Amino acid sequence: MSDHRDRPGMPGRRLMALLLASAGCSIAAAAHAQDTTPATAPAVAPDAATQDSSVPDSNVGTAQDTGAAPAGDTAAGDIVVTGYRRSIEESLSRKREANAFVDVITAEDIGKFPDKNVADSLQRVPGIIIDRDGGEGSRVSIRGLQSDLTLTQLNGNFIASADDNEPSRSFNYLLLPSNMIGSVDVFKSPEARLDEGGVGGTIILHTRRPLDLKSLSGFVSVEGTYADVTEKVQPQIGGQLSWKNQDETLGFLVGATYQERTVRDHRAAASSWNWWTYDRANEPATDVNGNPYANDDAISYWPEDSGATTQSGQRFSGYWAPQQVSQTVTEQNRKRLGIQATAQMKPFDDFTVTANYFRFQVDDNYISNGIQIPEWGYGNFFSGATLDKSGTIFQSAQFQVPPDGTGCRVQIGNQPPCTMETPQIYGTYSREKAVSNTFDVEGAFKRDRFEAVFKLGKTRATGGPSARFSVAAKPRVVNGIVGINGNQYSAWNFTDQSANFEFSPELQNNINNGLTQIDLGSTNSSFNRSSIAQRYAQLDLTRQFETFLDSVQVGAKWRDGQVNRATGRNEWYADPATQLRYQDTPGAATTRPGFFFDKPLGNIAGGFSGNAFPAIDFRNYLNYLTDTYGEAVRVDETGFVYGIGERIWAGYVQANFKAERFRGNLGLRYVNTRQTGVTSDRLQILNDYCVNAEGGPFVTPPVGADGNCITLPLAQRETIVNTQLDQTRTYSDWLPSLNASYDITDNLLLRGAVARVIARPAFTNLGSQRNLTYRSPEYAFDRRQFGEREGWSGSGGNGALNPFKAWQYDIGIEWYFKRGSVLGATAFRKDVSDFIVPLVLDVTQTVNGQPELIQPYSTVANGSNARSQGVELYAQHTLPFGLGAQVNFTYNDTSVAQITLEGQNVGSSPLVGSAKTQLNGSLFYENDRMLLRASYNRRGEVVRGLQSGLNVYDDPYEQIDLNASYNLFENFVLSASVINLTKSEQRQHLGNDTDARFISNVYSGRRAYVGVSYKF
């Protein structure tokens, strides 16, 4: 493993040195203060607006010694703490008072969350890493487990989200406006009263309630954002208003946020890495499994043909190479809307009714343009490569058309001279919307020592494209003129864990002059739309006592969920009567200069480099199709079924105990899950692709629909058979849990926890269609220039997956050495069974009664008997004059476990989604009018799924963000932020032995925000 992979950049080093120095000085000063200041005052109780209503009174606001007066207490000699410092001190107080291992985030003030995104705030919690989408936090993982194993709830219940064409148990934080949230609880150890499903942990998002706020209070905010990748300034507005009557028996709260943002991602990628060996005595070339490569031109791939040798000087006999290298620019126009409406009523003193409605919506239309140098460019034009220091991994490749009259440029009979058809120019246009609606009602009755809480509600989300259109093109034979090249030279190389492309200088001019053809065989308009819904009802009863047994809680919950996905296409018909698609019509939209931009894409601020980026003008292309063939027709795919039902009954009993220095809880939860529904298995036979002008097999390239041959109608090209697979199964689980805390001294706390946890498999892993495709010799021959091989390939879910299960153990020590200050450490371990790993591999399966090699096959499988263990270290302290620091570090080590598919061992893998290290630090300064904060986040390598027998790894990632605010006058605040100051990029590589097998690099830009807010 190369050294640079774990070496932070210099900006991060300087900031962390400053953070650690500040934290060290702060702790030393606090230790001195501890010796001279008596500790007598009680802890800070959470504000009513941010209390977790599901936490019993015995667990909230208990008097404990912190060595200082509560925040906001104006006793003589005390400092009045407000703003950001109050927020983090309150969060720490709630962490201390919790019985379980809990981290808490509270809003600095109404309408003012510390970060632009709730996920961005969560990444500063020890043990949490986030996935980013367009530079924003989207998915959350806890203690090295994938995001589907993190349970996110809104006010204690599941919140549905459906995006990226697939329903998911993992919540997408892009949907959630941060200014609607009052506080966030992160449970790292479970309690029996909490819903199961968070093997990594459970995140509960709490919204505000009108009876907890002052009447006619709220906020209005206006903000603009700018990104270097878009060079656009775009708006965000938000507001909230809360009212209650004088008797505090009726209250209403309404809030809304609207944001427009253009997200532009720059991505370089190398896909389908394979190990190839070559022996001239036994042609053709074979892959790592000994399977022959179908392309007759494969011998031109080999470095020994260009004189390459290993470092020892021996002739080269094998190497790793990608099948294609690409660069992509995706521009998304996001419009985000969030609405909250809450009503509360107290018909009598002991009873409160709360009703909530939430709507989160993201409109996410995008255009993606890409260029790639695929494997078919290797054939006649490969002119050289460079390898890594081992002499076994491609680091660059060059392809050049030989002079006329030489090599493949010699015309033989009526066979035309060869044409280099790289780069491939491709793109996708998509109109998408994700909507999440949640409605719930809660009734809470409390009298004396008894409390009853009843909840019922429904959450539903829909997502995916309403239209999607993909197209590809190449500089090649046009209008019957053969042997003409639109490009003479193509080259790629990996530089600094990214990719650089070089093409002939005349490439763009040739495109403008029409020397580029649309590849109708790679044109499609298919898409998926999904929905996920859940109804739920819950009853919780609490009886309090004045003994060591502080309270007993019992409860039951019913959940009824449904997941569906539909597939469809938008088709333009050349002949609506026969439903002949335009792609199947000779001469249809094969080439037009107006289909492409007359200039390369610009403003490539990061991600990759190159001398040209030709792109498709989708507006002109789609206008041409509509003007020529009429409006597109929606076609729903028949025979396809994707529907999963999940009915869950759960019950629990939990005893909360408390003595002078010892407290905790012991509980047992029982869960019964009935999974129902059916999904589809799809068998696709690609019979043939095209014929010559006389109707016979394609032998020589006549003039036709795509310049090579006349494309057959879709109905003749393919045969599809759909069969249904029953998904019905039932399983039950007993989930015991124990949490205990002991005050060793007034300021030193020892915690411990043990529990059994489960998480059900992701919906897409259970329900994704198992799709097997067979390419006939005729089809593969017609399409071999595009890398198509004869034989079987496939992908799909795995309905036999077992739920993810684990026993987890935690022990920690926390030293609260001064008000709002802590130094702590937690050791954790999870003994995992049946974890889930994505796979890309070659397998043999029975098809129509015969064993067939499926190459490759993408699926998921269970791993067994893995271990995840590590330690979290954290510190927080603020000096009296307002300078403070928060630092935490997490180390996580996971074992390697065997992976099985249909009873067969198919490899080994660590836990997917696990990162070995995570480091967060924030340095801030706050006074009466101003807040300045610099935040540093570094995540170590993250393990992903298997490809070609090796794990994919996310490279270490580090980022620095800056935040500032200034009170222009009372309740009127000017704020500014810079996100990703370091212009960091997300990178991936294949295998843990080297980072030379480049997978991808993504740059989403540096963003700046400036805004004003008014609180009333």
Side-chain angles (χ1 to χ4, degrees):
M1 188 177 297
S2 63
D3 293 338
H4 93 277
R5 209 183 319 167
D6 265 326
R7 184 179 68 242
M10 288 307 295
R13 287 190 169 193
R14 295 190 187 102
L15 180 60
M16 284 313 302
L18 183 59
L19 288 169
L20 293 172
S22 173
C25 293
S26 301
I27 292 169
H32 175 72
Q34 171 71 17
D35 294 336
T36 59
T37 304
T40 58
V44 181
D47 285 348
T50 58
Q51 284 192 23
D52 179 1
S53 61
S54 65
V55 178
D57 289 351
S58 59
N59 294 342
V60 178
T62 305
Q64 294 287 338
D65 231 342
T66 63
D73 194 329
T74 57
D78 284 338
I79 300 173
V80 178
V81 177
T82 59
Y84 181 70
R85 181 176 174 182
R86 175 185 173 88
S87 173
I88 63 174
E89 288 187 5
E90 180 183 317
S91 298
L92 191 61
S93 176
R94 293 183 61 185
K95 172 185 175 68
R96 178 176 183 175
E97 298 306 323
N99 282 345
F101 284 84
V102 180
D103 286 283
V104 181
I105 304 172
T106 58
E108 175 185 343
D109 209 335
I110 182 170
K112 190 175 181 183
F113 220 71
D115 290 282
K116 297 303 176 187
N117 180 292
V118 177
D120 292 336
S121 288
L122 284 167
Q123 74 175 332
R124 311 193 196 290
V125 172
I128 285 186
I129 62 174
I130 66 172
D131 294 328
R132 290 178 169 84
D133 182 354
E136 294 184 274
S138 57
R139 309 281 180 178
V140 174
S141 302
I142 301 177
R143 286 179 172 175
L145 298 178
Q146 56 191 296
S147 60
D148 267 349
L149 302 177
T150 298
L151 176 63
T152 296
Q153 296 185 320
L154 185 66
N155 295 324
N157 288 288
F158 173 70
I159 176 172
S161 66
D163 60 308
D164 297 331
N165 313 320
E166 298 288 355
S168 175
R169 300 187 193 274
S170 172
F171 181 69
N172 188 346
Y173 284 81
L174 293 177
L175 283 169
L176 183 68
S178 62
N179 57 21
M180 287 189 175
I181 303 302
S183 68
V184 182
D185 293 337
V186 181
F187 283 83
K188 296 177 181 176
S189 65
E191 297 183 9
R193 64 185 177 86
L194 300 177
D195 288 353
E196 74 291 340
V199 170
T202 298
I203 298 173
I204 303 178
L205 309 169
H206 302 286
T207 58
R208 299 179 177 90
R209 297 182 173 190
L211 294 185
D212 297 329
L213 302 173
K214 293 180 180 180
S215 183
L216 294 178
S217 64
F219 72 91
V220 177
S221 65
V222 179
E223 189 174 62
T225 180
Y226 173 87
D228 61 348
V229 289
T230 62
E231 298 181 335
K232 294 179 180 180
V233 176
Q234 295 177 293
Q236 175 174 320
I237 58 175
Q240 188 178 93
L241 174 64
S242 180
W243 172 88
K244 62 183 177 184
N245 62 5
Q246 288 186 346
D247 296 332
E248 298 190 2
T249 58
L250 181 66
F252 298 97
L253 181 150
V254 292
T257 297
Y258 177 78
Q259 180 194 65
E260 290 186 9
R261 183 183 166 208
T262 300
V263 177
R264 199 170 192 245
D265 283 340
H266 301 165
R267 178 185 298 268
S271 57
S272 302
W273 280 90
N274 284 288
W275 172 262
W276 300 93
T277 60
Y278 181 68
D279 182 357
R280 286 195 178 277
N282 296 286
E283 295 185 6
T286 59
D287 66 13
V288 68
N289 298 311
N291 301 308
Y293 184 67
N295 191 334
D296 295 337
D297 296 326
I299 57 172
S300 298
Y301 282 44
W302 307 108
E304 63 181 84
D305 293 336
S306 59
T309 61
T310 64
Q311 286 185 312
S312 62
Q314 298 179 353
R315 194 179 76 164
F316 198 83
S317 61
Y319 68 96
W320 285 94
Q323 287 187 286
Q324 49 267 338
V325 179
S326 63
Q327 296 178 344
T328 308
V329 173
T330 301
E331 187 164 302
Q332 300 171 300
N333 294 310
R334 284 182 183 165
K335 295 181 180 180
R336 178 159 49 201
L337 174 67
I339 297 173
Q340 174 188 0
T342 299
Q344 279 191 293
M345 180 173 58
K346 292 186 70 172
F348 48 90
D349 290 342
D350 297 331
F351 186 61
T352 303
V353 178
T354 304
N356 289 299
Y357 171 72
F358 301 95
R359 179 182 176 90
F360 305 127
Q361 176 179 318
V362 175
D363 291 45
D364 196 0
N365 302 332
Y366 74 84
I367 292 177
S368 176
N369 266 296
I371 51 174
Q372 71 172 343
I373 303 176
E375 62 178 336
W376 64 78
Y378 287 64
N380 293 305
F381 308 104
F382 179 74
S383 58
T386 60
L387 308 175
D388 74 327
K389 62 183 180 181
S390 73
T392 61
I393 302 173
F394 262 37
Q395 296 298 286
S396 73
Q398 301 175 24
F399 314 93
Q400 189 161 12
V401 176
D404 286 342
T406 65
C408 69
R409 296 294 295 166
V410 176
Q411 183 164 349
I412 302 175
N414 64 350
Q415 181 71 36
C418 62
T419 307
M420 184 165 73
E421 299 178 351
T422 63
Q424 185 190 41
I425 307 167
Y426 62 91
T428 299
Y429 167 85
S430 187
R431 296 198 304 267
E432 303 194 11
K433 177 185 289 187
V435 179
S436 175
N437 285 285
T438 298
F439 175 78
D440 65 72
V441 176
E442 174 189 291
F445 173 81
K446 184 176 182 181
R447 177 174 294 175
D448 299 328
R449 298 176 184 174
F450 176 75
E451 182 177 4
V453 179
F454 176 75
K455 299 180 181 179
L456 58 86
K458 180 178 181 179
T459 180
R460 184 175 187 271
T462 58
S466 58
R468 178 172 288 179
F469 180 71
S470 298
V471 67
K474 45 201 178 289
R476 59 167 293 172
V477 177
V478 179
N479 296 332
I481 305 173
V482 296
I484 303 298
N485 282 282
N487 182 42
Q488 301 288 325
Y489 176 81
S490 295
W492 59 260
N493 66 81
F494 301 142
T495 304
D496 296 329
Q497 286 300 95
S498 186
N500 175 67
F501 276 8
E502 295 291 335
F503 302 110
S504 300
E506 67 276 8
L507 173 61
Q508 184 67 50
N509 286 335
N510 288 340
I511 292 172
N512 296 344
N513 292 329
L515 292 180
T516 306
Q517 185 181 40
I518 299 295
D519 175 19
L520 296 178
S522 297
T523 297
N524 67 80
S525 59
S526 61
F527 57 85
N528 302 322
R529 285 189 60 81
S530 62
S531 67
I532 177 172
Q534 185 183 95
R535 296 175 296 160
Y536 52 85
Q538 177 177 351
L539 177 64
D540 299 278
L541 305 176
T542 302
R543 175 69 164 87
Q544 295 182 335
F545 305 92
E546 292 183 353
T547 64
F548 173 73
L549 181 62
D550 184 63
S551 64
V552 173
Q553 295 174 273
V554 295
K557 189 165 189 175
W558 167 83
R559 284 163 282 175
D560 187 8
Q562 187 69 38
V563 176
N564 291 282
R565 192 183 72 180
T567 66
R569 306 188 308 273
N570 290 318
E571 298 289 13
W572 288 266
Y573 291 120
D575 185 350
T578 62
Q579 292 192 347
L580 179 67
R581 307 185 312 161
Y582 85 94
Q583 298 103 305
D584 304 329
T585 306
T590 55
T591 181
R592 281 175 181 263
F595 290 171
F596 305 91
F597 289 108
D598 57 5
K599 294 181 180 179
L601 291 185
N603 189 28
I604 308 301
F608 56 81
S609 58
N611 70 331
F613 198 115
I616 298 166
D617 187 337
F618 276 93
R619 183 177 62 179
N620 284 349
Y621 197 115
L622 292 169
N623 286 342
Y624 166 82
L625 293 179
T626 301
D627 293 343
T628 306
Y629 304 105
E631 294 292 335
V633 177
R634 166 69 182 260
V635 181
D636 292 318
E637 186 171 331
T638 59
F640 177 83
V641 179
Y642 182 126
I644 298 177
E646 211 170 57
R647 181 165 294 181
I648 303 167
W649 285 96
Y652 74 89
V653 58
Q654 178 172 312
N656 302 293
F657 51 85
K658 181 178 67 174
E660 183 178 357
R661 291 187 175 274
F662 184 60
R663 55 191 166 86
N665 55 64
L666 175 66
L668 178 65
R669 188 176 186 88
Y670 171 76
V671 185
N672 176 268
T673 304
R674 177 172 174 79
Q675 176 184 307
T676 59
V678 292
T679 59
S680 289
D681 275 2
R682 174 189 175 101
L683 193 66
Q684 180 185 36
I685 308 297
L686 299 176
N687 305 304
D688 203 349
Y689 181 74
C690 56
V691 295
N692 63 22
E694 289 74 34
F698 168 46
V699 178
T700 60
V703 178
D706 67 354
N708 281 336
C709 60
I710 299 175
T711 305
L712 292 167
L714 185 64
Q716 296 181 35
R717 293 209 309 263
E718 66 178 18
T719 302
I720 295 178
V721 178
N722 287 304
T723 58
Q724 294 186 0
L725 178 69
D726 187 13
Q727 288 273 37
T728 301
R729 60 187 300 201
T730 301
Y731 52 91
S732 299
D733 295 278
W734 294 91
L735 307 174
S737 61
L738 170 65
N739 292 274
S741 301
Y742 180 72
D743 291 304
I744 301 173
T745 69
D746 289 342
N747 299 297
L748 192 63
L749 177 65
L750 178 68
R751 292 190 194 272
V754 59
R756 187 173 187 265
V757 290
I758 67 164
R760 299 169 186 88
F763 296 119
T764 183
N765 290 342
L766 289 171
S768 287
Q769 182 183 62
R770 278 158 288 278
N771 187 351
L772 296 180
T773 298
Y774 175 72
R775 293 166 179 81
S776 70
E778 295 81 6
Y779 182 91
F781 180 79
D782 292 343
R783 301 289 293 170
R784 65 174 182 166
Q785 60 181 317
F786 305 109
E788 301 279 14
R789 306 179 185 180
E790 177 186 350
W792 291 92
S793 63
S795 63
N798 184 350
L801 286 174
N802 294 318
F804 192 116
K805 300 176 183 178
W807 278 95
Q808 68 174 54
Y809 312 90
D810 302 85
I811 187 168
I813 191 164
E814 303 163 11
W815 179 33
Y816 296 90
F817 54 83
K818 194 173 178 62
R819 164 183 162 173
S821 302
V822 69
L823 186 64
T826 300
F828 59 87
R829 177 184 173 113
K830 294 182 189 290
D831 290 331
V832 179
S833 61
D834 294 322
F835 69 95
I836 297 168
V837 178
L839 305 172
V840 180
L841 72 168
D842 299 340
V843 298
T844 298
Q845 291 191 354
T846 300
V847 183
N848 294 329
Q850 298 294 324
E852 300 287 356
L853 175 65
I854 315 299
Q855 183 186 24
Y857 186 68
S858 301
T859 187
V860 287
N862 280 119
S864 59
N865 302 324
R867 180 199 70 246
S868 175
Q869 60 186 11
V871 62
E872 295 172 351
L873 306 173
Y874 49 92
Q876 174 178 314
H877 184 57
T878 306
L879 295 172
F881 62 88
L883 179 66
Q886 294 173 287
V887 182
N888 63 71
F889 173 78
T890 304
Y891 174 82
N892 180 40
D893 177 61
T894 66
S895 64
V896 175
Q898 296 300 311
I899 313 301
T900 57
L901 178 64
E902 297 182 354
Q904 297 184 13
N905 182 17
V906 295
S908 60
S909 172
L911 290 173
V912 172
S914 61
K916 181 156 287 189
T917 59
Q918 176 79 3
L919 176 64
N920 303 295
S922 293
L923 184 67
F924 64 89
Y925 172 76
E926 185 178 36
N927 60 27
D928 291 342
R929 299 181 69 89
M930 179 175 63
L931 169 66
L932 302 173
R933 188 183 73 171
S935 300
Y936 172 77
N937 167 257
R938 185 183 190 278
R939 182 216 64 214
E941 275 190 339
V942 178
V943 182
R944 300 299 182 187
L946 289 169
Q947 290 186 18
S948 303
L950 300 175
N951 283 100
V952 173
Y953 288 85
D954 292 354
D955 285 16
Y957 180 87
E958 59 181 355
Q959 179 173 309
I960 293 177
D961 302 329
L962 302 178
N963 303 86
S965 64
Y966 185 78
N967 296 322
L968 296 173
F969 49 87
E970 186 177 4
N971 295 333
F972 193 84
V973 178
L974 172 67
S975 62
S977 302
V978 177
I979 308 300
N980 194 14
L981 176 69
T982 46
K983 300 183 68 173
S984 302
E985 302 180 359
Q986 301 176 73
R987 299 185 173 98
Q988 288 185 323
H989 65 274
L990 180 65
N992 64 353
D993 56 330
T994 178
D995 57 9
R997 298 184 203 90
F998 171 79
I999 292 288
S1000 69
N1001 182 47
V1002 182
Y1003 179 63
S1004 299
R1006 173 194 288 170
R1007 290 176 288 136
Y1009 296 84
V1010 176
V1012 293
S1013 62
Y1014 175 68
K1015 184 186 73 170
F1016 54 89

